[in-house]
Amino acid sequence: MDSRCLFRVTGAALAATALLVPGCSAGSSDGSGGNSAASTNGRAGGTAAPLEALPEAVPEELKPYYAQRPRWRSCGLADFECATLKAPLDYDKPERGKDVSLAVARQRARDRTNRIGSLLVNPGGPGGSAIEFVQQQASQAYPPEVTERYDLVGVDPRGVARSEPVKCLTDERMDAHTAVDQTPDSREEVEKLVASYKSFAKGCERRSGDVLGHVSTVDSARDMDMVRAVLGDRRLNYVGASYGTFLGATYAGLFPQRSGRLVLDGAMDPSLSALQLNRDQTRGFETAFRAFAKDCVKRASCPLGTGDADSAGERMSELLRRIDERPLRTDTDRRLTESLATTGVVQSMYDEGAWPGLREALKSAREGDGTPLLELADQYNERGPDGSYGNIMYANSAVNCLDLPPAFSGPEDAEKAVASFEKASPVFGRGFAWAALSCTYWQREPTGEPHRVVAKGAPPMIVTGTTRDPATPYAWAEGLAGQLAPARLLTYDGDGHTAYLRAGDCVNRVIDTYLLRGTVPARDTTCD
């Protein structure tokens, strides 16, 4: 699984799953770098250059986009309506006349008299469909007090799902790509992995067209401002989870004067390089696995045996090594490779509610049946029962590889970095280090760099972090909150990815009060 860079929220009751950043960044190529807590200087927010705000006035050439009148039609659930908007392919050269189509869905506020405005929601990714999320999950999970007073809005970012989706491989070739060995033990295996990354990148370039160079987070943040205007809102109100926090923070940095009530849940730190992000996430997955292992070994039926988290980790690593040597049979014509097995474990790390299923899947794997782990991997990769893949893995790479320079210049750099990744995670480190190589072969030059987001002049906002979050480590929330001048840090002391609507009344009460009244806590707050 090469796109270990996916930060998304999916599943019932907003249970979260996530992938890693598919290798993106500057930073030392020898793998010696530091951890995020040191690089972000705690709440100081790092030393990267700040993201500069755009001029407050809308440029003349963009005004026709801002003045669009959407044609709404009933769609999906009975009380949702959808529309399609146009945005310039290239915001720097809109006069060229090339546009992209943006899909929008909304559920109107039930209390029209006391309506606050629109509330845009993004589930993360990059690559997660905001429309699917808002229709299938958020509309039921958000408290009625919020949905009564806000129009709940989902916009699929450019390159995602219904908005000019990026395409890369046939389903058959994607099967091979997700199964390729990501812990190469020989020069031949390194060459096969590199060939798979190159084929993936070339496929995206060949099948996606001009949109591939214009799906950055900055592009999508500018789209959100246009959508805000079309919806008739003076300020943008927004809840972003996981990668959605990066998108929301980017909006606040570009448009602080038009930012409204922003909730950034499961925060990313935009001041970090791709190498730092990848290694920090590796450490986060290790933290989550150890929490799972500590719970598992207390149970008589634990497939990782008895003892402590260290011994459980050793047995997990040994199981993955055996699968690497001899992939497991499944009830399909596909074998469970080590990469797919790792993906299945990763899929279960984002919410403690998935731990019982993972225990059963590991038990089956130890008995020689890889079917349950393969099913978990397919969920993660958005592979349907018919063998077809969704767009999320393609969009994920396309956005990440534009947003930051690649972590490594070649396989030699990845090999040098393996030791530091294995130190961060004995279980996942080697595979995650090689996964960070994928953007090295991208066909488009990156348009972004690590940066701080200050958002001076924006109103107060809330940044949340979970102390044992696998995909967005807590230090990232500290880093982002330290950069954002008007932010309050809301800490959830617990397990799992993100906090809002899954971590209990304390977190929900703080965020709901903010969304409904605009008030933030007097100081940083911790819930457990």
Side-chain angles (χ1 to χ4, degrees):
M1 123 189 170
D2 71 319
S3 294
R4 296 182 190 273
C5 201
L6 190 59
F7 307 89
R8 61 177 176 175
V9 176
T10 62
L14 307 191
T17 64
L19 310 185
L20 280 164
V21 227
C24 352
S25 160
S28 63
S29 62
D30 64 0
S32 63
N35 61 40
S36 69
S39 61
T40 57
N41 218 7
R43 289 296 304 274
T47 58
L51 180 66
E52 294 185 8
L54 292 173
E56 187 167 353
V58 176
E60 284 296 323
E61 59 270 24
L62 295 181
K63 286 184 177 178
Y65 296 99
Y66 276 67
Q68 293 177 82
R69 295 190 175 184
R71 299 179 61 181
W72 296 101
R73 64 190 186 282
S74 178
C75 64
L77 302 176
D79 54 351
F80 270 89
E81 54 187 11
C82 294
T84 301
L85 301 177
K86 293 291 184 181
L89 175 70
D90 186 344
Y91 272 98
D92 293 331
K93 300 173 183 176
E95 68 280 358
R96 289 188 175 180
K98 292 184 178 180
D99 294 337
V100 296
S101 298
L102 301 177
V104 185
R106 71 177 177 183
Q107 181 187 61
R108 303 297 295 273
R110 295 180 178 88
D111 184 351
R112 305 302 298 169
T113 302
N114 297 302
R115 175 182 176 273
I116 295 172
S118 303
L119 181 66
L120 271 69
V121 178
N122 185 278
S129 170
I131 290 179
E132 179 180 330
F133 178 75
V134 79
Q135 287 186 329
Q136 297 183 8
Q137 297 175 49
S139 59
Q140 285 83 43
Y142 273 56
E145 296 84 358
V146 173
T147 56
E148 283 175 2
R149 300 191 61 193
Y150 279 103
D151 294 348
L152 205 59
V153 179
V155 181
D156 280 352
R158 52 175 64 200
V160 174
R162 298 167 178 82
S163 296
E164 309 274 352
V166 170
K167 302 174 183 178
C168 298
L169 300 177
T170 64
D171 294 333
E172 293 77 12
R173 293 189 68 181
M174 190 61 174
D175 273 347
H177 182 67
T178 59
V180 71
D181 188 350
Q182 285 195 311
T183 58
D185 303 309
S186 65
R187 181 51 48 191
E188 181 182 6
E189 289 184 351
V190 170
E191 291 173 354
K192 286 182 178 179
L193 179 60
V194 169
S196 188
Y197 288 154
K198 287 181 177 179
S199 176
F200 183 91
K202 290 177 181 178
C204 296
E205 178 69 27
R206 184 171 59 253
R207 295 163 68 93
S208 297
D210 289 342
V211 72
L212 196 65
H214 300 279
V215 293
S216 72
T217 298
V218 167
D219 289 319
S220 292
R222 298 190 71 169
D223 290 341
M224 284 206 304
D225 192 58
M226 182 267 292
V227 172
R228 170 203 58 77
V230 170
L231 294 175
D233 291 289
R234 188 173 65 87
R235 292 180 178 269
L236 179 83
N237 302 309
Y238 175 84
V239 176
S242 202
Y243 161 80
T245 67
F246 185 29
L247 179 58
T250 301
Y251 181 90
L254 295 175
F255 304 103
Q257 71 283 358
R258 295 202 278 272
S259 296
R261 300 173 187 178
L262 270 60
V263 176
L264 308 178
D265 179 26
M268 290 181 63
D269 184 347
S271 73
L272 302 180
S273 71
L275 180 61
Q276 291 169 307
L277 288 170
N278 275 277
R279 190 158 38 218
D280 284 357
Q281 247 190 355
T282 303
R283 187 178 294 107
F285 279 111
E286 181 69 17
T287 298
F289 176 79
R290 290 181 68 85
F292 162 75
K294 288 178 182 178
D295 176 78
C296 185
V297 295
K298 296 175 183 177
R299 303 170 185 273
S301 60
C302 178
L304 299 177
T306 58
D308 56 17
D310 289 337
S311 59
E314 291 170 1
R315 295 185 187 102
M316 183 74 253
S317 296
E318 176 58 29
L319 175 61
L320 292 174
R321 281 193 293 270
R322 294 208 313 266
I323 296 173
D324 186 24
E325 294 171 358
R326 182 174 294 181
L328 300 183
R329 61 175 173 80
T330 70
D331 63 4
T332 73
D333 59 358
R334 301 156 64 210
R335 290 271 174 169
L336 181 79
T337 65
E338 181 192 21
S339 289
L340 289 168
T342 302
T343 303
V345 175
V346 164
Q347 164 73 5
S348 305
M349 288 294 100
Y350 301 94
D351 190 277
E352 55 270 36
W355 291 356
L358 178 59
R359 291 196 300 270
E360 291 300 315
L362 293 176
K363 180 177 181 293
S364 294
R366 290 180 67 87
E367 295 170 352
D369 181 7
T371 303
L373 277 178
L374 181 63
E375 291 173 350
L376 290 171
D378 286 350
Q379 292 173 26
Y380 184 85
N381 289 323
E382 269 197 3
R383 185 187 192 275
D386 62 353
S388 63
Y389 282 85
N391 153 259
I392 193 167
M393 305 306 292
Y394 306 141
N396 175 253
S397 289
V399 175
N400 283 316
C401 293
L402 278 186
D403 275 351
L404 288 173
F408 304 129
S409 62
E412 296 80 10
D413 289 345
E415 184 66 60
K416 291 178 183 178
V418 165
S420 68
F421 276 74
E422 288 186 323
K423 182 178 179 180
S425 172
V427 175
F428 302 114
R430 183 173 182 81
F432 282 19
W434 284 102
L437 183 64
S438 60
C439 282
T440 301
Y441 306 102
W442 203 244
Q443 303 291 294
R444 300 292 177 117
E445 290 297 316
T447 57
E449 292 280 353
H451 58 267
R452 289 181 295 117
V453 178
V454 179
K456 184 178 180 180
M461 61 189 74
I462 292 178
V463 174
T464 75
T466 298
T467 56
R468 293 182 293 280
D469 191 316
T472 53
Y474 179 69
W476 293 0
E478 291 183 301
L480 180 60
Q483 297 163 42
L484 287 166
R488 286 285 186 273
L489 177 61
L490 175 60
T491 298
Y492 170 54
D493 186 2
D495 297 297
H497 180 43
T498 73
Y500 184 45
L501 303 179
R502 62 168 299 276
D505 291 341
C506 176
V507 169
N508 294 348
R509 183 169 57 251
V510 171
I511 293 177
D512 291 342
T513 299
Y514 170 67
L515 290 175
L516 295 170
R517 301 177 186 172
T519 56
V520 297
R523 60 184 64 85
D524 292 350
T525 300
T526 297
C527 297
D528 56 27

